[in-house]
Amino acid sequence: MSADETQAVPNDADAPPDVTGVLCGEDLERLAHSFPPFESQMADETRARLLKDKLKVDAMARTTEALRRALHAQVAQRRLANEELQKTCDAALIRAREEFEALVEENTERVEERLDALDERITALDVHFQAEKERINREIEEEHQRLTVMLKHFEVEFEKEKASRAEREAAIIAEMKIHEGEVAEHFVKESTVREAAII
């Protein structure tokens, strides 16, 4: 029972009932006199319990508010931490991307420089091979011409030697015939002289 309900009860209700001339009036009077203290005690206990419950509710409300504020503060702190972490990660990602792009560009430049140097070497080798090819072809042609001239000269000399040998052989044959004639004539003379000497 609340304090308002207690105040709403008429004052006549607090007065003890009149039991004069009633059978067992004394007992009823004692019983009637015992109700007001009971009702007062119940009202006091009710008000105390309501006050205690109100204090508990207020304490729970304060605790809930403190927890809510702590939660909001923690959420805000976590949000700030996440934003800082996001900024740090974004900066690290941008830095890594820039470093990667710089590395790729540097390696690309190196590769292009090597390719250019290789192209120059290939071009120089092509020029060298072409010059060597022309030189070798020229030397082959010159050697061919030299051998051709040499072969023709050899053929001429061979024909000359052949004619000269034929002439020498003919001269030797003629000389041998002359010598044979002289030897035969001398032999005949020698035979005649011996035969004459023997006779």
Side-chain angles (χ1 to χ4, degrees), residues 89-102:
C89 292
D90 292 340
L93 182 60
I94 293 173
R95 185 171 59 254
R97 183 178 299 166
E98 292 176 351
E99 293 177 354
F100 176 74
E101 291 177 353

Side-chain angles (χ1 to χ4, degrees), residues 2-15:
S2 63
D4 295 336
E5 292 175 350
T6 304
Q7 292 176 0
V9 177
N11 293 330
D12 293 340
D14 294 336

Side-chain angles (χ1 to χ4, degrees), residues 11-80:
N11 293 330
D12 293 340
D14 294 336
D18 187 7
V19 292
T20 303
V22 178
L23 182 64
C24 298
E26 294 180 358
D27 294 332
L28 290 174
E29 187 177 2
R30 283 196 302 272
L31 181 60
H33 283 297
S34 66
F35 279 111
F38 175 75
E39 291 180 356
S40 299
Q41 183 178 1
M42 288 295 294
D44 293 339
E45 289 179 357
T46 300
R47 283 193 295 273
R49 186 167 59 255
L50 290 174
L51 180 61
K52 185 177 180 181
D53 291 340
K54 183 177 182 304
L55 292 176
K56 286 182 179 181
V57 170
D58 291 341
M60 290 176 65
R62 287 192 299 272
T63 302
T64 303
E65 182 65 20
L67 291 175
R68 186 181 63 79
R69 290 179 181 177
L71 179 61
H72 287 321
Q74 187 70 21
V75 169
Q77 185 178 0
R78 289 301 179 94
R79 184 181 296 111
L80 291 176

Side-chain angles (χ1 to χ4, degrees), residues 132-189:
E132 286 296 313
K133 180 180 179 181
E134 293 177 356
R135 182 184 64 81
I136 291 172
N137 290 332
R138 186 173 60 253
E139 290 180 356
I140 290 173
E141 183 64 25
E142 291 175 355
E143 186 68 15
H144 176 70
Q145 293 178 358
R146 188 181 68 82
L147 291 175
T148 302
V149 172
M150 184 183 294
L151 180 61
K152 289 181 179 180
H153 179 70
F154 177 75
E155 290 176 351
V156 172
E157 292 296 324
F158 178 75
E159 291 297 330
K160 288 181 180 180
E161 181 66 22
K162 182 179 179 181
S164 175
R165 180 174 295 180
E167 290 177 357
R168 287 196 302 271
E169 287 179 355
I172 292 171
I173 292 172
E175 186 178 353
M176 287 181 65
K177 287 181 178 180
I178 294 171
H179 183 69
E180 286 178 357
E182 290 177 352
V183 169
E185 184 180 356
H186 181 72
F187 180 76
V188 170
K189 289 179 179 182

